[in-house]
């Protein structure tokens, strides 16, 4: 912590101290090192949020820090398990190969390879990308830093809405071994082990192995399998070599994920529906047919499967060059994913719809960063290059009966059933009007992204207590996209028609050979391409002032940029008179963020309080929405301008040497500044000025206590989260803020977690009981799906209470 010359407090300083103490007494909790650290250690939490090692309390950025103990207290396996405990951060880890990340309400739901994510995720300085490699299991984590607001001048790959920086433990010169086993309900069996070995005076190695597995908390009554579980293992080998004053860190990683797909709970069980009552709108009469998905059986005709294989290698070199330091990060990452999901929420043959999403990605990145200090300047300057090649194949799996039923619901005819009936009447054996044949359609995409950036960030120490930070980033992105949508894949149907159609006097070629599900794919029966480039300048300005030795005030104005992109389901149409159809690319995302904040440490009452007020405008946020020109909607990229204002507040107080209280919250008002779209029936909607949906309040809090007993130390943590109800608009109100007789959606949510542990006197052995979702609160997380437009939405529900037991040991 930087010190300033001791001087007699002035009148305004005394007033500030009085105000600060009042705030600390009124509000104490934390989001920086929740309940895991002793209060005396809070000033020692060192972060690298500004690409410099600094005390967390001296970084003029609104941020959250999660330590290894925090992760252990929650029994978290990945970032998704921290959801709710970092107010302002939203992680949807329902599908680990298609995760969603949001900061302060800015969240893009697009799973296609054509767009980027406004939240950048980094592991030891390496950008993880957007899709299959973004959500990995925690492996030997030291801490997680969540930075709110644009961070382009501090990281090699721009992060328009914020950044998540995961820092792992490096090898050191200590011989060390540790292990951890966790067993619990629903077949939970986790294990991790670490070995750290000094190989020579200046050489050390660290090997970590992690396995996480559970059978799942729900049984699919159609297949008989349990689902909603997880199964993965990962290993990382790190080597550290010191050569004179230089340091080299080589890391090799491998991970495999093999688990069942996520459960889709159908809420319409009446076989007479949707034909008997759905009129294109979710009115009170129709939603009265819904059953509570938390109590109804899971019936998915497609069990689902999610798989990932990941490999990564990185080399980090820190080289002193006179009065400056050069850091080089070279990284290569590759992964392949497969995700099969049930998209109808039921097991009715006449409404069967499933999807597979397959991706393969290869990327390498190179970053050079120079840093130096003088009496008045602390600066960094860097250059970054990123090259990513990724393929995606999205397949719709349905059948001819589904196509006919969708046509009937839209006022059309059951043409395929009529065709089969005609064949049966012509004497074709085994064929009748009720015959049902598989039907598949696939959209293939390839994307190459090349990005180059230059950036600098300079802290000028204007006075011993005042700093001015100036940052600037120049970015250039180039994307080349390919679309290819071949004809439908229906081999059994084609064989029938080609063999017997002429005998029945039917023209088999009359059956559509192009896509019905991916109707726009008719424009890409042969591969088509589009190339687009974007350039941007993004500045950062921060003023911070130490009003007292323990109170930091700061103000910042920053701009963020994210490259434009493409809709994977909309190829270009050169013949169209519509300019947007000729060029289906999307403009870059840009964010302007204004923030005023403070960070306060009060050693006399052992408390910290941090807070900030913020306001931002986000232009061209890329998201997805069900729509399209086919009879069954597909996910298409949409963009909107959004704005928000809000408050972040967190703190903690050490009431006694054995008792610590902590809490944090975010208040936010987020609305559309510009958003024009259509509803499920194709009617135009102008949502400008309406709410986006982000709840107004997110909060967390808890207590951490410990005492000596049984020859060691007992510790306990009770913590919980609360989120206010969703704020719906004219597009989402019908289902996302629904009040049906059986259940509600969009309601306020609460969750509590509990840990009771005992460690022996030297801390080398421990045992703990963990209870997640202590009070067994369950909510309908989502009510949506591709079958929603014709009256058959499905729900995603939150997991029930789980109990587990942990054992750990170390040398």
């Amino acid at each position: 912590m930087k010190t300033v010359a001791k001087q007699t407090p002035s009148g305004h300083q005394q007033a500030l101290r009085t105000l600060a103490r009042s705030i600390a007494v009124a509000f104490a909790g934390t989001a920086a090192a929740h309940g895991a650290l002793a209060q005396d250690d809070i000033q020692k939490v060192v972060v690298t949020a500004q690409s410099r090692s600094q005390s967390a309390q001296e970084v003029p950025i609104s941020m959250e820090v999660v330590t290894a103990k925090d992760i252990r207290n929650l029994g978290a396996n990945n970032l998704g398990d921290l959801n709710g405990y970092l107010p302002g951060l939203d992680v949807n880890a329902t599908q680990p190969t298609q995760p969603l990340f949001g900061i302060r309400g800015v969240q893009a739901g697009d799973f296609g390879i054509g767009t980027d994510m406004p939240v950048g995720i980094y592991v030891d300085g390496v950008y993880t990308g957007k899709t299959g490699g973004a959500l990995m299991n925690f492996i030997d984590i030291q801490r997680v830093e969540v930075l709110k607001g644009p961070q382009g001048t501090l990281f090699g790959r721009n992060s328009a809405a914020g950044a998540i920086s995961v820092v792992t433990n490096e090898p050191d010169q200590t011989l060390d071994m540790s292990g951890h086993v966790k067993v619990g309900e629903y077949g939970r069996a986790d294990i991790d082990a670490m070995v750290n070995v000094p190989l020579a005076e200046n050489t050390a190695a660290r090997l970590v192995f992690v396995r996480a597995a559970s059978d799942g908390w729900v049984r699919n009554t159609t297949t008989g399998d349990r689902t909603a579980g997880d199964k993965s293992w990962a290993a990382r080998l790190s080597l550290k070599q010191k050569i004179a004053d230089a340091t080299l860190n080589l890391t090799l990683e491998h991970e495999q994920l093999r688990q069942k797909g996520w459960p889709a709970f159908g809420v319409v069980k009446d076989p007479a529906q949707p034909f008997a009552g759905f009129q294109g709108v979710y009115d009170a009469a129709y939603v009265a047919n819904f059953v509570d998905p938390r109590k109804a059986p899971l019936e998915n005709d497609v069990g689902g499967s999610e798989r990932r294989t990941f490999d990564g290698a990185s080399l980090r070199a820190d080289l002193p060059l006179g009065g400056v330091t050069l850091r080089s990060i070279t990284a290569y990452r590759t992964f392949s994913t497969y995700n099969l999901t049930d998209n109808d929420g039921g097991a009715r043959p006449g409404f069967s719809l499933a999807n597979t999403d397959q991706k393969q990605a290869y990327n390498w990145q190179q970053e050079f960063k120079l840093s130096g200090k003088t009496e008045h300047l602390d600066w960094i300057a860097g250059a970054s290059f990123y090259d990513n090649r990724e393929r995606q194949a999205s397949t719709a799996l349905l059948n001819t009966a589904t196509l006919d039923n969708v046509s009937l619901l839209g006022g059309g005819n059951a043409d395929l059933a009529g065709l089969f009936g005609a064949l049966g009447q012509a004497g074709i054996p085994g064929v009748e009007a009720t015959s049902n044949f598989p039907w598949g359609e696939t959209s293939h995409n390839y994307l190459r992204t090349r990005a180059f950036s230059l950036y600098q960030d300079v802290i000028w120490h204007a006075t011993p207590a005042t700093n001015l930070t100036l940052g600037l980033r120049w970015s250039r992105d180039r994307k080349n996209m390919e679309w290819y949508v071949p004809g439908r894949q229906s081999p059994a149907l084609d064989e029938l028609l080609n063999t017997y159609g002429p005998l029945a006097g039917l023209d088999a070629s009359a059956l559509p050979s192009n896509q019905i599900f991916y109707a726009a794919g008719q424009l890409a029966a042969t591969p088509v391409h589009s190339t687009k480039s974007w350039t941007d300048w993004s500045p950062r300005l921060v003023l911070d002032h130490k009003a007292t030795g323990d109170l930091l005030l700061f103000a910042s104005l920053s701009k963020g940029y994210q490259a434009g992109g493409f809709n994977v389901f909309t190829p270009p149409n050169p013949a169209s008179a519509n300019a947007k159809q000729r060029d289906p690319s999307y403009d870059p995302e840009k964010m302007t963020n204004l923030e005023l904040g403070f960070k306060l440490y009060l050693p006399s009452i052992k408390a910290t309080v941090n807070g900030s007020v913020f306001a931002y405008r986000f232009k061209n946020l890329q998201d997805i929405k069900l729509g399209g020109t086919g009879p069954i909607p597909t996910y298409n990229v949409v963009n909107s301008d959004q704005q928000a204002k809000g408050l972040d507040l967190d703190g903690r107080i050490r009431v006694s040497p054995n008792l610590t209280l902590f809490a944090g919250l975010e208040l936010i008002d987020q609305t559309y500044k510009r958003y024009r779209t259509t509803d499920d029936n194709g009617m135009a909607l102008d949502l400008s000025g309406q709410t986006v949906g982000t709840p107004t309040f997110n909060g967390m809090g808890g207590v951490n206590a410990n005492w000596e007993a049984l020859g060691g130390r007992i510790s306990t943590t009770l913590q919980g989260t609360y989120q206010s109800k969703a704020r719906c608009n004219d597009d989402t109100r019908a289902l996302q803020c629904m009040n049906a007789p059986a259940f509600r959606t969009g309601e306020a949510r609460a969750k509590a977690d509990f840990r009771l542990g005992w460690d022996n006197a030297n801390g080398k052995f421990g045992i703990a009981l963990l209870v997640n979702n202590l009070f067994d609160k369950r909510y309908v997380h989502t009510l949506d799906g591709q079958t929603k437009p014709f009256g058959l939405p499905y729900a995603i529900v939150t997991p029930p209470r789980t109990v587990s037991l942990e054992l750990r040991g170390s040398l």
Side-chain angles (χ1 to χ4, degrees):
M1 174 178 174
K2 190 196 322 182
T3 59
V4 297
K6 186 175 181 180
Q7 49 187 305
T8 302
S10 64
H12 82 276
Q13 288 177 321
Q14 291 177 335
L16 284 170
R17 284 181 175 175
T18 302
L19 175 61
R21 291 176 186 274
S22 299
I23 294 173
V25 171
F27 182 91
T30 192
H34 306 292
L37 298 170
Q39 178 62 33
D40 295 338
D41 293 335
I42 187 63
Q43 289 288 71
K44 300 177 183 177
V45 178
V46 176
V47 297
T48 53
Q50 295 195 115
S51 296
R52 307 162 176 90
S53 294
Q54 298 172 286
S55 164
Q57 290 298 107
E58 296 201 351
V59 177
I61 296 176
S62 182
M63 62 180 297
E64 317 276 3
V65 181
V66 180
T67 68
K69 280 191 175 181
D70 302 325
I71 293 171
R72 190 178 71 180
N73 283 344
L74 282 172
N77 287 330
N78 56 49
L79 287 168
D81 295 329
L82 301 178
N83 213 30
Y85 286 102
L86 298 169
L89 174 67
D90 185 24
V91 182
N92 185 338
T94 305
Q95 302 177 75
T97 62
Q98 295 179 358
L100 304 176
F101 298 87
I103 291 180
R104 289 176 171 170
V106 178
Q107 183 177 55
D110 183 23
F111 59 87
I113 62 175
T115 58
D116 288 317
M117 184 167 59
V119 177
I121 303 173
Y122 303 83
V123 178
D124 293 330
V126 177
Y127 179 64
T128 65
K130 170 192 167 184
T131 52
L135 183 72
M136 307 292 287
N137 279 342
F138 287 142
I139 306 177
D140 197 24
I141 298 298
Q142 182 184 122
R143 67 182 183 275
V144 179
E145 303 172 11
V146 179
L147 287 69
K148 301 177 180 180
Q151 305 298 330
T153 66
L154 299 173
F155 291 89
R157 188 91 171 109
N158 209 343
S159 305
I164 301 172
S165 177
V166 179
V167 181
T168 66
N169 291 308
E170 295 182 0
D172 56 38
Q173 291 300 118
T174 305
L175 177 62
D176 191 12
M177 297 182 187
S178 66
H180 168 266
V181 176
K182 178 180 177 181
V183 294
E185 291 182 283
Y186 307 114
R188 169 60 64 190
D190 297 354
I191 184 172
D192 61 74
M194 182 278 296
V195 179
N196 189 97
V197 181
L199 302 177
E201 182 179 358
N202 295 311
T203 308
R206 193 178 185 95
L207 177 63
V208 184
F209 174 83
V210 175
R211 178 188 183 273
S214 70
D215 297 330
W217 47 265
V218 64
R219 186 177 297 279
N220 186 345
T221 58
T222 302
T223 65
D225 297 328
R226 299 197 71 85
T227 188
D230 61 295
K231 186 177 181 181
S232 64
W233 70 269
R236 183 175 69 233
L237 174 64
S238 302
L239 300 172
K240 186 174 184 178
Q241 176 70 54
K242 289 188 175 181
I243 306 174
D245 293 330
T247 304
L248 301 177
N249 284 276
L250 174 66
T251 301
L252 304 174
E253 300 175 84
H254 176 78
E255 190 218 50
Q256 286 194 9
L257 180 146
R258 303 286 188 273
Q259 64 188 43
K260 298 291 185 181
W262 50 274
F265 291 86
V267 297
V268 179
K269 301 296 184 180
D270 183 354
Q273 303 297 344
F275 288 107
F278 187 64
Q279 302 296 324
V281 294
Y282 285 94
D283 54 21
Y286 189 71
V287 301
N289 295 290
F290 289 1
V291 300
D292 189 340
R294 297 164 296 185
K295 301 176 182 179
L298 175 66
E299 300 171 316
N300 289 164
D301 51 2
V302 176
S305 174
E306 197 161 5
R307 304 194 297 266
R308 174 175 60 209
T309 299
F310 168 87
D311 290 285
S314 63
L315 176 64
R316 188 176 77 244
D318 293 291
L319 310 171
L321 301 174
V324 302
T325 300
L326 171 65
R327 166 167 286 191
S328 170
I329 299 179
T330 306
Y332 176 78
R333 298 168 65 89
T334 179
F335 66 81
S336 61
T337 63
Y338 174 85
N339 191 358
L340 169 64
T341 58
D342 186 297
N343 260 330
D344 57 70
R348 298 166 63 175
F351 287 99
S352 179
L353 176 61
N355 292 87
T356 65
D357 184 74
Q358 301 178 69
K359 295 186 178 78
Q360 287 184 312
Y362 309 86
N363 72 70
W364 75 271
Q365 48 195 297
Q366 176 65 56
E367 182 176 8
F368 295 106
K369 185 181 295 184
L370 282 171
S371 61
K373 291 184 180 181
T374 66
E375 181 181 357
H376 296 291
L377 297 178
D378 183 345
W379 60 271
I380 62 170
S384 173
F385 180 75
Y386 177 77
D387 190 338
N388 182 65
R389 306 180 189 208
E390 192 163 1
R391 293 188 181 276
Q392 179 177 9
S394 301
T395 301
L397 303 172
L398 54 162
N399 55 44
T400 54
T402 299
L403 292 173
D404 273 346
N405 281 332
V406 172
S407 177
L408 289 171
L409 286 169
N413 300 313
D415 294 327
L416 294 169
L419 175 62
F420 301 148
L423 290 173
Q425 292 176 2
I428 305 303
V431 182
E432 55 188 2
T434 57
S435 295
N436 198 1
F437 292 87
W439 184 290
E441 302 181 12
T442 301
S443 172
H444 298 271
N445 300 97
Y446 171 77
L447 177 73
R448 178 161 187 197
T449 301
R450 283 169 289 183
F452 179 71
S453 64
L454 299 171
Y455 58 93
Q456 62 83 30
D457 198 79
V458 180
I459 301 176
W460 174 42
H461 305 303
T463 72
T466 304
N467 299 313
L468 179 65
T469 303
L470 298 171
L472 184 64
R473 177 191 183 91
W474 175 81
S475 304
R476 179 170 176 81
D477 293 85
R478 179 181 175 87
K479 293 185 178 183
N480 179 268
M481 186 77 170
E482 177 184 280
W483 295 261
Y484 172 49
V485 189
R488 57 174 174 79
Q489 300 96 48
S490 307
L493 177 60
D494 290 339
E495 181 180 3
L496 170 72
L497 296 179
N498 291 329
T499 302
Y500 297 108
L503 298 178
L506 298 174
D507 183 5
S509 64
L511 191 68
S513 60
N514 283 320
Q515 305 282 9
I516 294 179
F517 188 90
Y518 297 122
Q522 298 179 21
L523 300 171
T526 58
V528 295
H529 302 81
S530 182
T531 301
K532 199 78 173 179
S533 297
W534 302 272
T535 303
D536 180 77
W537 292 89
S538 301
R540 172 180 182 242
L541 176 65
V542 183
L543 178 67
D544 67 87
H545 176 68
K546 270 296 188 72
T548 71
D550 298 310
L551 175 62
L552 175 71
L553 303 175
F554 65 91
S556 68
L557 177 63
S558 56
K559 289 190 175 183
Y561 154 85
Q562 197 76 21
F566 299 96
N567 183 353
V568 295
F569 299 125
T570 306
N573 182 4
S576 175
N578 187 311
K580 192 61 182 176
Q581 293 179 0
R582 294 195 303 270
D583 177 14
S585 64
Y586 290 88
D587 292 335
E589 301 175 339
K590 295 187 178 183
M591 183 181 193
T592 302
N593 184 74
L594 175 65
E595 195 147 350
L596 303 174
F598 70 92
K599 294 192 174 184
L600 171 66
Y601 172 58
L602 291 172
S604 60
I605 61 172
K606 295 184 174 67
T608 60
V609 181
N610 304 320
S612 66
V613 292
F614 63 88
Y616 69 74
R617 288 187 176 181
F618 203 106
K619 186 177 182 180
N620 289 325
L621 178 64
Q622 298 158 6
D623 202 351
I624 58 171
K625 177 180 170 62
L626 282 170
T629 58
I632 300 177
T634 58
Y635 290 103
N636 292 280
V637 177
V638 295
N639 63 78
S640 64
D641 296 344
Q642 301 181 12
Q643 57 189 4
K645 53 183 178 294
L647 166 70
D648 286 327
L649 197 60
D650 66 73
R652 62 180 278 132
I653 184 168
R654 190 180 182 193
V655 179
S656 73
N658 304 106
L659 182 65
T660 301
L661 305 177
F662 53 93
L665 63 85
E666 179 171 282
L667 294 169
I668 187 171
D669 178 20
Q670 184 185 19
T671 59
Y672 288 112
K673 185 174 176 60
R674 176 198 58 84
Y675 184 32
R676 292 177 176 84
T677 183
T678 58
D679 63 14
D680 293 337
N681 298 310
M683 302 297 292
L685 281 177
D686 186 353
L687 301 180
S688 303
Q690 297 193 34
T691 62
V692 174
T694 305
T696 302
F697 178 85
N698 281 273
M700 60 81 61
V703 56
N704 190 338
N706 65 86
W707 60 94
E708 293 183 358
L710 305 176
R713 181 168 292 274
I714 294 177
S715 62
T716 183
T717 301
L718 176 63
Q719 53 193 329
T721 69
Y722 178 82
Q723 174 182 288
S724 63
K725 65 181 181 179
R727 303 175 66 201
C728 288
N729 53 51
D730 290 346
D731 189 36
T732 60
R733 187 171 293 110
L735 289 182
Q736 302 308 319
C737 292
M738 183 191 68
N739 186 6
F743 66 97
R744 295 180 178 181
T745 60
E747 59 184 335
R749 303 179 192 176
K751 176 176 176 285
D753 297 295
F754 175 74
R755 184 182 190 273
L756 176 65
W758 175 86
D759 296 280
N760 69 342
N762 62 14
K764 299 294 185 180
F765 172 80
I767 184 171
L769 172 72
L770 275 82
V771 184
N772 294 109
N773 193 7
L774 178 64
F775 301 110
D776 201 25
K777 297 289 187 179
R778 304 190 64 198
Y779 305 93
V780 178
H781 177 65
T782 302
L783 188 60
D784 207 336
Q786 287 178 283
T787 50
K788 177 188 72 171
F790 39 91
L792 297 175
Y794 61 78
I796 304 298
V797 301
T798 57
R801 175 176 51 228
T802 58
V803 180
S804 58
L805 183 69
E806 289 187 340
L807 296 172
R808 70 169 188 87
S810 61
L811 287 180

